[in-house]
Amino acid sequence: MTPIRIFISSVQREFAREREHLRDYVRGDPLMRRFFEVFLFEDAPASDRRPDEVYLDEVERCEIYVGLLGADYGFEDEDGISPTEREFDWATELDKHRLIFLKGAEGGERHPKMRALINRAQAGLVRRRFAAPAELVAGLYAALVQYLETRQLLRFGPFDAARCSGATLDDLNVEGMYRFIRIARRSRKFPLPEETPPPDLLRHLNLLNRGRLTNAAVLLFGKAPQRFLISSEVKCAHFHGTEVAKPIPSYQVYKGTVFELVDQAVDFVMSKIALAVGTRAETVQAPVAYEIPKEVVTEAIVNAVAHRDYTDNSSVQVMLFADRLEVMNSGRLPPSLSVEKLRVAHQSLPANPLLAESMYLLRYIERMGTGTVDMIRRCAEAGLPEPEFEAGAGFVTRIWRKAEASRKTEQTTQKAASTTPITTPKPGQTTPITTPKTVPKRILALLAAEPRMTQKQLAERVGLTLDGIKYHMRRLKASGAIVRVGSSRAGHWQVLEPGVSGSARKQPENNQKPPGPDPEGAR
């Protein structure tokens, strides 16, 4: 998010120490520096502008005006007005959020004009007193935390449960709410009848906060959610190469509810990737298969929309390259989760639980912590490498495309045809096509013919990535179809699956190792 600017006004000579203390504190505190940046006049670069122009412009640019008032009044201009009073008056006229701190006890000795300024400030503002820099820091910290809470930038509950400032029932799409009930009733046996009035639906889904619409209500059912939550859009871009480069061949910015955002972004990706159409040999309708399964694309985009940080100014970005799809959002993993844990079934910990509940009711998510696991499984079944997940300042999901594997298959087809029966076509036949269903059989046939073949060699022969081969090998070992015999480097694979190697299923001899993790020499 863009830092909130704080302008500190004071008589510089009297408060030089305190001003530096506040600046250094805000810049050094992990919470404060995330939200605020401080302007001090003495930090401004040299310029040919008049000093009063500089500091009054900075007052105009700031969101929070902090006034430190003490005993001295300071330098007076030709009208007898000090910069401190000019700054206070300008901040008041611009209706800035003003925080006033007084140094010294009540009734202390002060310049008459400073006493008059304090009396004017006292009329409409709450003042806080301090005697030492530590007291000033504590007072400013409390005031800034309160400011963040008022702005709903610092919350004790999730963002989607906070009230959406200015939104009313008139800003919601009533027909969309009735449609939601109809679909939820079919999908999840939602209990409310189709004719349920919108306010009752909102109460049932906990989308009201003390009678006011929550952010989740606007994101789910708003006529124009981006009017209230500007960055809740999704940006999609398609690049012909493997790097971000201009001009961008295809670029779209999608707006609407979270459901519309997901649907539009998924359609954008699916319209750009390869689609293979099969024959009607087994069904009346010709089967189709995208190079990236649609379920994988949908899961990546749904996760980005449902779990992002909506207080951040950045949007969800969906970028399709020649070799991969990347989906980025500003969300962060909760402390109890790590990238490694995403590869196994894990607890579901939605960043925006109210959004997640409604998206579950329409079957956009399952709330079981299995979404990333399903992505990994579906990619392996499609012959794609495992998706990559990166967690840092934001979250990135990277899905590799089929193009690389397809080119590799094309390059190795002739070599494979001369060394293994399964890829050698007979007269009048065509070269076998690798599909998720035929991969295990091809692996078993290759290992039966060449038991010492490594997984890397298998990947070249079958035409899959190494990650895809590893996935199928794990499944074959778990099912007992193959076993590793002997040492990791001098051993070999034994096929136990009947009907493939030409012999009945055997058990390993006494000196043979049972199935286990991939030995290093077999990778």
Side-chain angles (χ1 to χ4, degrees), residues 195-345:
E195 63 276 8
T196 300
D200 291 346
L201 172 65
L202 295 173
R203 279 189 286 271
H204 182 86
L205 296 175
N206 298 312
L207 298 180
L208 295 177
N209 183 336
R210 289 177 288 176
R212 300 285 298 278
L213 294 182
T214 61
N215 291 319
V218 173
L219 289 168
L220 291 164
F221 304 118
K223 295 176 182 176
Q226 287 69 36
R227 176 187 163 201
F228 301 95
L229 303 163
I230 299 174
S231 66
S232 62
E233 60 195 14
V234 174
K235 297 177 179 178
C236 296
H238 177 211
F239 303 92
H240 291 320
T242 58
E243 302 293 336
V244 174
K246 293 182 179 180
I248 304 175
S250 182
Y251 177 70
Q252 296 289 334
V253 178
Y254 294 113
K255 301 179 185 294
T257 66
V258 290
F259 306 115
E260 293 167 334
L261 293 176
V262 170
D263 293 343
Q264 292 174 117
V266 170
D267 287 346
F268 177 91
V269 174
M270 305 314 291
S271 69
K272 308 294 181 186
I273 63 177
L275 173 65
V277 182
T279 66
R280 294 186 175 88
E282 298 182 1
T283 61
V284 176
Q285 187 174 2
V288 297
Y290 287 97
E291 59 170 299
I292 303 176
K294 185 175 182 179
E295 297 84 355
V296 175
V297 175
T298 301
E299 184 69 28
I301 294 174
V302 166
N303 283 345
V305 171
H307 300 306
R308 61 156 293 182
D309 178 3
Y310 281 93
T311 65
D312 192 276
N313 287 336
S314 63
S315 304
V316 171
Q317 294 188 40
V318 178
M319 298 192 294
L320 182 65
F321 298 91
D323 61 345
R324 68 195 186 280
L325 170 68
E326 289 189 354
V327 181
M328 299 183 290
N329 75 90
S330 56
R332 294 173 175 81
L333 287 177
S336 60
L337 279 184
S338 64
V339 169
E340 290 72 26
K341 289 183 180 180
L342 295 178
R343 300 188 177 280
V344 297

Side-chain angles (χ1 to χ4, degrees), residues 512-523:
Q512 296 171 352
K513 292 184 179 181
D518 292 352
E520 198 168 34
R523 292 176 185 170

Side-chain angles (χ1 to χ4, degrees), residues 148-167 205-219 228-229 310-311 351-355:
L148 292 175
E149 289 178 344
T150 303
R151 288 273 305 273
Q152 298 185 15
L153 296 175
L154 191 65
R155 307 177 310 276
F156 296 103
F159 170 85
D160 59 349
R163 292 196 289 182
C164 186
S165 178
L205 296 175
N206 298 312
L207 298 180
L208 295 177
N209 183 336
R210 289 177 288 176
R212 300 285 298 278
L213 294 182
T214 61
N215 291 319
V218 173
L219 289 168
F228 301 95
L229 303 163
Y310 281 93
T311 65
N352 300 292
L354 295 181
L355 282 185

Side-chain angles (χ1 to χ4, degrees), residues 403-422:
E404 291 296 325
S406 298
R407 282 194 290 272
K408 198 168 188 179
T409 302
E410 204 173 296
Q411 294 168 359
T412 59
T413 298
Q414 290 184 347
K415 179 181 177 182
S418 63
T419 57
T420 174
I422 199 164

